[in-house]
Amino acid sequence: QVQLAESGGGLVQAGGSLRLSCAASGLIFSRLTMGWFRQAPGKEREIVAAITRYGGATDYRDSVKGRFFISRDNAKSTVYLQMNSLKPEDTAVYYCAATQRGLTVSTDVDYWGQGTQVTVSS
């Protein structure tokens, strides 16, 4: 089965940067559309970014456009989320996600990582 393992979360001051990584195993990575979701306390899980199988297209929710950047390295079976200019409202558990089809909402997801906490302080 597919396993996704996130890393890179932590505590950072507002305006700082953080890079999340997600290593995948159990399936041919290049066949997977990859993405990142986040869930803050008391809120629904929401999509942050998605990237197509070979990295040819990316998309982001409006609140992170220009600040967050998703990328992938298929040779390493890893997807990244570079987060810049972090704000306190970015605080959430961030989840790596994979699907064998298109990715727009959480119900599209076939595989989830365990989540990594990102906390942005004022």
Side-chain angles (χ1 to χ4, degrees):
Q1 64 276 6
V2 173
Q3 294 184 350
L4 305 175
E6 303 103 327
S7 62
L11 176 65
V12 64
Q13 292 186 27
S17 297
L18 208 59
R19 188 175 80 156
L20 306 183
S21 299
C22 173
S25 62
L27 201 66
I28 299 176
F29 186 69
S30 61
R31 293 182 178 177
L32 297 172
T33 301
M34 302 297 298
W36 291 91
F37 288 73
R38 68 186 182 186
Q39 188 165 23
K43 299 183 68 176
E44 294 294 310
R45 190 171 298 188
E46 63 185 21
I47 194 165
V48 177
I51 187 167
T52 53
R53 293 174 179 83
Y54 293 95
T58 60
D59 206 0
Y60 305 87
R61 71 180 303 105
D62 287 344
S63 62
V64 308
K65 286 181 178 177
R67 300 190 297 121
F68 289 13
F69 301 92
I70 188 171
S71 62
R72 67 191 294 161
D73 186 340
N74 286 355
K76 297 180 179 179
S77 297
T78 301
V79 64
Y80 305 94
L81 184 67
Q82 178 67 46
M83 303 184 292
N84 301 319
S85 301
L86 282 161
K87 304 174 181 179
E89 51 263 45
D90 295 318
T91 295
V93 177
Y94 283 70
Y95 296 91
C96 183
T99 179
Q100 299 179 70
R101 56 194 183 278
L103 179 58
T104 303
V105 295
S106 61
T107 52
D108 295 327
V109 175
D110 293 320
Y111 310 104
W112 292 101
Q114 79 284 355
T116 185
Q117 177 70 47
V118 172
T119 302
V120 184
S121 63
S122 300

